[in-house]
């Protein structure tokens, strides 16, 4: 398991303007992920871009690498509106994001779908690795829990639907014609919400006509898609106009609405899509995002209690995610420790068998006895260190974890192995061993039992239970560890 830390950066609606969010966004989110992955030290990368936010996250070995990788993303944005997040802040923020607690309209549902789409996009670019996978799946899980276990998304759940709620209060929508300008996220929601009212006809104007037509085909009312140049003519026939584009210039001016009759216009664009001067016409009412505050404020009030429950849920899931990462880091060190011990065990077993084989063929049963003893020794010797490493992870003692990783890294302890098929080498080793090894008083050979005697446990309970002849064959570093224990 690759360890690392997450670093994040966010430019969002809370402080940033629409222009600043756009400046922090990439033309293609896939390109942003690819660029981040190409940055030295970046192992994983993820980005999400909506009309209300532009965020990016990377996984690196060290936090400073992550900060350097994300430095250039918000170069053209005022420093005061850029939120830079460390590992734990990133984890918590993504859970809040998926739950709708970071949304302009508290608890809105769109963001969890956008997050899922962003995850799939990043996965398609090979940006999602073990750490981001765990983090993003946990965030989506929290978002789903928030919506099924609390009332966080009850009532008006987006600016698009809030705009339609306001329009329905100020105009009679039964049999009316409505115009939606813009086929982006908010425009789509507004179109879907209007289709659920009593309107007879819906026109969707967009810079890209096929996109507008696609949305028109999906709503449950007679609808058509047109280009932006046709918006003024459509507005003249509409009782309700909802506009949500990113155009730098107004789409509709005062003259475009002069002869439209009773018309409620709701401008969600930033900057404005509808010239405020249009409100000078007696029959035209123009509302902007600020006018939706009364609706969203009531929604926030109703959801305040639910939000508190979601915050507690996030705290609970946040602790679980941290515990998961700690276990995985400990498991990585434990795995390396067992891999190192397994290499030593296999080497020493081959050496012992080769020495014993030089004095007489070792039977399969005898070989199993030796290997069983070796496995038992490894298990017992590593039991205490395993517990210590898990405790170290639980207590955030990463120095101990890192030291263990260095000591037991698979590249560590590369020692030339004895070839058991090299009889001459095995006999030489056996002759040297004869000066120190003896069994039952026989100074010239090592006696191997045909089977384990009755009453003798194959797994020694302690160092005192290990036979002297076996103890003499144990590697020095193992004896040192045992003497310390």
């Amino acid at each position: 398991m690759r360890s690392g830390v997450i670093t994040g950066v966010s430019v969002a609606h809370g402080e940033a303007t629409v222009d600043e969010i756009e400046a922090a966004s990439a033309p293609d989110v896939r390109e942003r992920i690819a660029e981040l992955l190409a940055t030295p030290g970046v192992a994983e990368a993820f980005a999400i871009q909506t009309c209300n936010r532009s965020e990016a996250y990377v996984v690196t070995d060290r936090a400073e690498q992550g900060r350097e990788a994300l430095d250039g993303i918000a170069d053209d944005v005022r420093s005061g509106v850029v939120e830079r997040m460390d590992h734990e802040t990133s984890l918590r923020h993504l859970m809040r994001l998926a739950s709708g607690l970071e949304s302009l309209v508290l608890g809105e549902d769109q963001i969890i779908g956008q997050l899922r789409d962003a995850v799939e996009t990043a996965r398609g670019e090979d940006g999602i690795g073990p750490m981001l996978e765990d983090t993003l799946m946990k965030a989506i899980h929290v978002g789903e829990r928030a919506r099924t276990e609390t009332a966080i998304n009850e009532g008006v759940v987006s600016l698009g639907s809030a705009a339609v709620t306001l329009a329905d209060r100020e105009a009679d929508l039964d049999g009316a014609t409505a115009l939606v300008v813009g086929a982006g996220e908010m425009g789509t929601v507004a179109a879907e919400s209007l289709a659920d009212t009593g309107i007879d006809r819906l026109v969707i104007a967009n810079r890209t006509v096929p996109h507008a037509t696609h949305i028109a085909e999906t709503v449950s009312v007679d609808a058509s898609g047109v280009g932006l140049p046709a918006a003024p003519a459509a507005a003249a026939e509409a009782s309700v106009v909802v506009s949500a584009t990113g155009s730098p210039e107004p789409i509709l001016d005062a003259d475009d609405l002069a002869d439209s009759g009773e018309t409620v216009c709701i401008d969600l664009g930033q900057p404005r899509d509808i010239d405020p001067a249009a409100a000078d016409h007696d029959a035209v009412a123009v509302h902007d995002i600020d006018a939706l505050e009364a609706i969203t404020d009531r929604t926030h009030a109703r959801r305040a209690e639910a939000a508190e429950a979601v915050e507690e849920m996030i705290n609970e899931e946040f602790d679980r995610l941290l515990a998961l990462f700690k276990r995985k880091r400990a498991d990585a060190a434990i795995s390396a420790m067992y891999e190192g011990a397994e290499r030593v065990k296999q080497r020493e077993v081959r050496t012992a068998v080769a020495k014993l084989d030089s004095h007489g063929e070792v039977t399969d049963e005898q070989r199993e006895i030796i290997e069983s003893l070796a496995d038992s020794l490894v298990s017992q010797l590593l039991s205490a260190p395993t517990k210590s490493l898990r405790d170290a992870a639980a207590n955030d003692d990463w120095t101990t974890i890192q030291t263990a990783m260095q000591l037991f890294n698979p590249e560590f302890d590369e020692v030339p192995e004895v070839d058991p098929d090299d009889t001459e080498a095995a006999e030489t080793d056996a002759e040297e061993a004869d000066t120190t090894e003896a069994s039952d008083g026989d100074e010239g050979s090592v006696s191997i039992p045909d089977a384990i005697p009755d009453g003798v446990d194959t797994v020694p309970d302690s160092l005192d239970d290990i036979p002297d002849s076996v103890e003499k064959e144990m590697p020095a570093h193992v004896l040192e560890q045992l003497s310390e224990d």
Side-chain angles (χ1 to χ4, degrees):
M1 187 261 180
R2 187 187 184 96
S3 60
V5 293
I6 298 176
T7 306
V9 61
S10 172
V11 178
H13 64 84
E15 300 292 340
T17 65
V18 171
D19 289 339
E20 287 171 326
I21 293 173
E22 182 179 357
S25 300
D28 187 339
V29 71
R30 292 176 178 83
E31 292 180 6
R32 167 150 293 172
I33 293 170
E35 290 173 359
L36 290 172
L37 288 173
T39 305
V42 174
E44 305 176 37
F46 170 74
I48 180 169
Q49 296 179 177
T50 73
C51 61
N52 286 326
R53 69 185 62 256
S54 176
E55 299 183 358
Y57 300 84
V58 294
V59 175
T60 55
D61 288 334
R62 300 188 307 277
E64 58 267 26
Q65 293 174 309
R67 290 192 293 269
E68 291 172 3
L70 298 173
D71 265 350
I73 287 182
D75 280 349
D76 299 328
V77 180
R78 291 175 296 130
S79 59
V81 304
V82 180
E83 182 182 7
R84 302 188 185 278
M85 297 172 284
D86 61 18
H87 181 73
E88 294 193 3
T89 305
S90 297
L91 301 181
R92 189 178 291 277
H93 176 83
L94 284 166
M95 292 185 201
R96 290 179 54 84
L97 181 65
S99 301
L101 297 186
E102 293 289 334
S103 297
L104 184 59
V105 176
L106 184 67
E108 57 99 357
D109 288 333
Q110 291 168 281
I111 187 60
I112 193 168
Q114 293 167 337
L115 188 59
R116 287 194 185 99
D117 291 343
V119 170
E120 291 308 311
T121 298
R123 188 173 280 126
E125 298 301 312
D126 294 326
I128 305 296
M131 180 156 284
L132 281 178
E133 180 74 23
D134 287 337
T135 299
L136 293 167
M137 291 303 98
K138 175 64 75 174
I140 291 173
H141 170 69
V142 172
E144 291 170 345
R145 279 193 63 192
R147 289 166 175 81
T148 57
E149 298 179 23
T150 75
I152 193 66
N153 63 336
E154 290 185 0
V156 176
V157 293
S158 71
L159 284 176
S161 57
V164 174
T165 297
L166 178 60
D168 198 21
R169 290 177 182 174
E170 297 207 355
D172 182 5
L173 299 184
D174 287 339
T177 295
L179 168 66
V180 173
V181 183
E185 175 189 339
M186 285 191 290
T188 300
V189 173
E192 292 171 346
S193 298
L194 282 166
D196 291 336
T197 65
I199 65 170
D200 275 353
R201 186 166 181 270
L202 175 64
V203 179
I204 303 168
N206 192 54
R207 193 178 308 278
T208 306
V209 177
H211 193 185
T213 302
H214 172 71
I215 296 173
E217 292 173 347
T218 63
V219 297
S220 58
V221 70
D222 180 25
S224 59
V226 300
L228 282 183
E237 302 296 325
S239 299
V240 173
V241 177
V242 178
S243 187
T245 79
S247 173
E249 301 293 335
I251 304 297
L252 299 173
D253 58 28
D255 291 340
D256 294 330
L257 295 166
D259 300 321
S260 62
E262 295 285 341
T263 307
V264 176
C265 299
I266 302 173
D267 187 356
L268 303 179
Q270 287 184 333
R272 293 174 184 269
D273 285 339
I274 302 172
D275 186 350
D280 293 340
H281 301 304
D282 292 339
V284 178
V286 179
H287 303 284
D288 58 17
I289 288 180
D290 291 339
L292 300 179
E293 286 185 354
I295 297 174
T296 58
D297 284 349
R298 283 192 292 273
T299 298
H300 275 263
R302 288 196 303 270
R303 297 181 180 181
E305 184 176 348
E308 291 179 4
V310 173
E311 290 282 12
E312 292 179 4
M313 187 183 297
I314 289 173
N315 290 336
E316 171 190 324
E317 296 286 2
F318 175 76
D319 289 341
R320 288 178 179 172
L321 183 59
L322 284 185
L324 172 65
F325 285 148
K326 290 176 181 180
R327 284 198 306 273
K328 287 194 171 185
R329 287 193 181 184
D331 288 345
I334 291 168
S335 177
M337 180 174 68
Y338 273 87
E339 287 175 9
E342 181 66 18
R343 290 194 311 278
V344 172
K345 185 208 78 173
Q346 291 178 359
R347 186 180 70 231
E348 296 302 324
V349 166
R350 282 195 293 269
T351 301
V353 170
K355 292 178 181 179
L356 295 171
D357 226 359
S358 67
H359 296 280
E361 184 179 355
V362 178
T363 67
D364 290 342
E365 184 178 6
Q366 291 165 345
R367 186 186 298 272
E368 289 178 4
I369 293 171
I370 295 170
E371 291 181 347
S372 177
L373 176 61
D375 287 338
S376 174
L377 287 172
V378 168
S379 296
Q380 292 194 44
L381 291 173
L382 298 188
S383 175
T386 296
K387 183 178 184 304
S388 295
L389 286 173
R390 293 196 188 281
D391 290 344
N395 295 322
D396 294 325
D397 182 5
W398 302 118
T399 300
T400 296
I401 299 291
Q402 192 65 27
T403 300
M405 291 291 289
Q406 293 170 352
L407 286 174
F408 297 104
N409 186 282
E411 299 300 324
F412 181 74
D413 194 22
E414 291 291 343
V415 180
E417 299 181 353
V418 176
D419 186 350
D421 295 329
D422 188 347
T423 305
E424 183 178 349
E427 289 177 350
T428 300
D429 288 341
E431 290 174 0
E432 294 174 356
D434 281 344
T435 61
T436 57
E437 295 178 357
S439 175
D440 296 332
D442 187 346
E443 297 179 355
S445 65
V446 178
S447 176
I448 308 170
D450 292 330
I452 300 174
D454 292 338
V456 177
D457 193 344
T458 60
V459 180
D461 293 326
S462 68
L463 180 58
D464 294 335
D465 294 332
I466 299 174
D468 292 340
S469 60
V470 175
E471 182 177 348
K472 290 177 182 178
E473 286 296 309
M474 292 174 64
H477 66 279
V478 175
L479 290 173
E480 292 174 359
Q481 177 67 45
L482 286 171
S483 64
E484 291 175 0
D485 292 342

